[in-house]
Amino acid sequence: MKRLSILIILLAFLCIGCGNDNSAKKDSPAQTPTGTPAPTETPTETPTPTETPTPTETPTPTPTEAVMQNWDTSNVDISWIDPNKKLVAFTFDDGPTQYYDELLDILEENGMHATFFVWGKQYNKSYEAVVKRVVEQGCELGNHTWSHPHLKTLDEAKIAEEVEKVRALLEDLTGIKSFLVRPPYGEADMKVQFAIPVPLINWSVDSADWNNGTYESVYQRVMSNLKDGDIVLMHASYKYTMEAVKTMIPELIADGYQIVSVSELAAVRGKTLQPGHAPYTSIR
Ligand SMILES: [Zn+2]
């Protein structure tokens, strides 16, 4: 009996201990943190910015965009030209024609040059050799558009196409990439000027061979109006023009003139021809 009592008392103590423990846990206020409060989280280091990506290469302009550049005459051979003498540029439009060879013969015999503005539709394979001869002889090829339109009536894309077709044709024949342009009828406004990436060339002396000309009329109009630095408009389309040229060139040489291409005239006079400019009429 005594043992049983002791056991009961022991059990009772144990139970009281258990109960106290439980109640203490239940009722005690939430433990206040001891010691220094846990620091609010220090911000993690500001992330080092990732390297700004290196820009991709700036895109190169598409090759179809024609670039407006000043006319480069650095490769024009002017060693044969005396800059102290008078200069005149002869230009022949609307070729190639049956008269190209004779005009080139006259120029060659006299040791002179000229610029031949090519009309694209006028070209066929039979003219291949004579067009190449223009360049081989030191003369200059120019671009007179493909179909000889009134350029001011066309939109910019069509104007550019008219010029590009002839440029590509002449490059195929000669390897030369760029040619001065003579606008048909001499017609050019701001739209035309900015649609064509090379300088435009008109004239200061019109032989008027296109207007019911004759040998005498061509000779008179050119010889009575000519002065240093002029650009002369003629056409490769007429026999009488070719015959007038045959007479005029030796007479002009005797008068102290040198007959040159437009690019030679610009190079000797140190004049920079610019695209986007009104057509040049003379170079003095
Ligand atoms: Zn023409």
Side-chain angles (χ1 to χ4, degrees):
M1 184 66 193
K2 199 177 178 180
R3 277 185 202 162
L4 183 62
S5 307
I6 291 167
L7 184 61
I8 289 167
I9 291 164
L10 271 174
L11 282 169
F13 269 115
L14 280 170
C15 279
I16 289 164
C18 288
N20 281 348
D21 201 25
N22 281 345
S23 66
K25 271 189 181 166
K26 257 185 207 162
D27 302 333
S28 63
Q31 263 191 311
T32 52
T34 53
T36 52
T40 54
E41 259 186 283
T42 52
T44 54
E45 280 175 41
T46 48
T48 49
T50 54
E51 276 178 50
T52 49
T54 50
T56 53
E57 281 177 42
T58 49
T60 49
T62 55
T64 49
E65 280 177 34
V67 180
M68 307 278 269
Q69 287 184 326
N70 288 343
W71 190 245
D72 180 11
T73 57
S74 59
N75 290 324
V76 176
D77 176 16
I78 53 171
S79 60
W80 64 280
I81 300 170
D82 180 350
N84 298 312
K85 293 172 81 172
K86 290 181 285 188
L87 298 174
V88 58
F90 272 14
T91 66
F92 299 102
D93 288 8
D94 294 0
T97 67
Q98 58 187 314
Y99 301 116
Y100 258 35
D101 261 323
E102 287 163 281
L103 287 167
L104 287 164
D105 286 345
I106 297 163
L107 289 161
E108 190 170 44
E109 285 160 15
N110 289 282
M112 296 292 148
H113 292 166
T115 300
F116 293 75
F117 286 102
V118 169
W119 174 2
K121 274 192 173 173
Q122 183 71 15
Y123 178 82
N124 64 56
K125 191 80 176 165
S126 71
Y127 290 123
E128 181 175 344
V130 78
V131 168
K132 290 178 176 174
R133 182 184 168 192
V134 171
V135 173
E136 287 159 6
Q137 199 171 306
C139 288
E140 180 176 37
L141 287 169
N143 183 336
H144 196 38
T145 73
W146 185 260
S147 65
H148 209 282
H150 292 275
L151 290 175
K152 289 195 281 189
T153 67
L154 305 180
D155 65 29
E156 291 182 24
K158 187 70 185 159
I159 295 166
E161 185 188 323
E162 279 282 340
V163 169
E164 172 57 22
K165 278 176 82 173
V166 175
R167 190 209 66 76
L169 166 71
L170 296 180
E171 183 183 4
D172 272 354
L173 293 171
T174 66
I176 299 168
K177 291 187 185 309
S178 199
F179 304 87
L180 295 170
V181 167
R182 156 97 16 103
Y185 316 101
E187 291 176 359
D189 56 12
M190 294 289 278
K191 176 181 65 178
V192 173
Q193 290 166 34
F194 283 99
I196 297 175
V198 296
L200 305 179
I201 307 298
N202 276 350
W203 55 86
S204 49
V205 174
D206 180 1
S207 70
D209 57 353
W210 52 274
N211 186 17
N212 296 315
T214 62
Y215 168 90
E216 289 80 13
S217 71
V218 171
Y219 177 91
Q220 283 300 331
R221 283 194 64 114
V222 174
M223 298 299 276
S224 60
N225 288 300
L226 207 61
K227 54 191 179 300
D228 182 42
D230 274 330
I231 298 172
V232 181
L233 170 67
M234 290 178 279
H235 293 79
S237 324
Y238 310 110
K239 192 172 195 324
Y240 53 79
T241 296
M242 186 265 296
E243 288 172 343
V245 167
K246 198 170 194 169
T247 307
M248 290 190 294
I249 288 183
E251 291 187 17
L252 288 171
I253 292 170
D255 191 24
Y257 275 97
Q258 296 162 105
I259 293 118
V260 298
S261 68
V262 174
S263 285
E264 287 169 338
L265 180 55
V268 173
R269 292 296 180 239
K271 177 112 179 180
T272 302
L273 304 178
Q274 299 171 318
H277 189 282
Y280 292 89
T281 56
S282 62
I283 301 172
R284 309 191 202 281

